[in-house]
Amino acid sequence: MKLVVVSAGLSVPSSTRLLADRLAAATAGRAPADVRVVELRDLAVEIAHNFASGFPGPDLASALDAVAEADGLIVVTPVFSASYSGLFKSFFDVLGVRDQDALAGKPVLIAATGGTARHSLVLDHALRPLFAYLKAVVVPTGVYAASEDWGAEGLPERIERAAGELAALMTGLSAGRGTERAEQDGSGTDGSGTDGSGADGSGKDGGFTVVPFEERLAALRG
């Protein structure tokens, strides 16, 4: 599986990147996956050029492809003016313009960092609506880390809980895709040599007679 981490931190070192790394490690420990970190700070110029030209540069295109192909996504932003950063929003604006269904059905763990706990509502008032609009599946537990949370009780537990929820979704979706591929390899059968019309091909299923829809419709018209 592929786990992609989008970090919108601007400073070096960055508490946003630190939170992103801890969430990635906790998730990968529960659902083995190849982890790629996308640092938006390094893509700022290409993101701006994309708005002006409509075409992504090579590094931005690679990051957009990685996000679209990921089995799970962790997104972390610093809080500016009680919301996500402009750079963070711009990246996902570019992604949405390129492919509006890029995140459809994709498990996403949302997280944010800020200087005070008063901004913790950014998770539910800004980040969750954004990814709901992008049709992603946002895990129930979001993680917000204020300056006083580092080294205090509570943050490691929230990280583990959120990572567990993301890992469970990633594992479930991966298993579902494997089942779908197995069914497709069965050439339209249900794996028992029948064509799905009944247990023995006679139009019966578990003792119930299967009536074609056309016959039911004709009966209603009659």
Side-chain angles (χ1 to χ4, degrees):
M1 293 187 292
K2 298 177 181 178
L3 175 62
V4 174
V5 183
V6 178
S7 172
L10 299 179
S11 60
V12 180
S14 164
S15 61
T16 300
R17 175 60 188 269
L18 177 60
L19 180 59
D21 288 342
R22 291 193 178 182
L23 288 167
T27 303
R30 295 169 178 263
D34 293 328
V35 179
R36 173 172 176 178
V37 178
V38 175
E39 279 281 9
L40 297 187
R41 178 185 63 248
D42 300 332
L43 301 174
V45 173
E46 290 194 21
I47 290 173
H49 286 171
N50 186 94
F51 280 113
S53 67
F55 298 97
D59 292 337
L60 177 58
S62 176
L64 294 171
D65 288 340
V67 169
E69 296 169 3
D71 295 292
L73 193 64
I74 296 172
V75 298
V76 192
T77 177
V79 176
F80 293 152
S81 301
S83 187
Y84 37 65
S85 72
L87 180 60
F88 181 88
K89 179 63 161 56
S90 294
F91 176 79
F92 287 102
D93 283 343
V94 169
L95 179 67
V97 170
R98 191 186 197 209
D99 181 0
Q100 61 182 358
D101 293 323
L103 298 186
K106 194 181 301 296
V108 176
L109 192 167
I110 56 173
T113 59
T116 172
R118 292 196 299 266
H119 290 308
S120 61
L121 289 176
V122 69
L123 296 174
D124 292 322
H125 288 191
L127 284 168
R128 200 173 293 277
L130 170 63
F131 288 96
Y133 175 79
L134 294 173
K135 308 182 188 122
V137 179
V138 183
V139 303
T141 301
V143 180
Y144 178 82
S147 298
E148 62 266 24
D149 288 328
W150 297 103
E153 294 182 1
L155 181 58
E157 289 77 13
R158 295 200 303 273
I159 289 174
E160 290 296 328
R161 183 167 62 248
E165 294 168 355
L166 178 61
L169 282 175
M170 290 174 60
T171 303
L173 290 177
S174 179
R177 283 193 295 270
T179 301
E180 182 179 351
R181 285 194 295 268
E183 291 175 349
Q184 291 173 349
D185 291 343
S187 302
T189 69
D190 61 2
S192 61
T194 68
D195 60 2
S197 62
D200 56 3
S202 62
K204 295 184 179 180
D205 185 7
F208 295 95
T209 301
V210 179
V211 180
F213 176 74
E214 292 81 1
E215 291 185 15
R216 296 297 299 271
L217 185 60
L220 290 174
R221 289 174 176 170

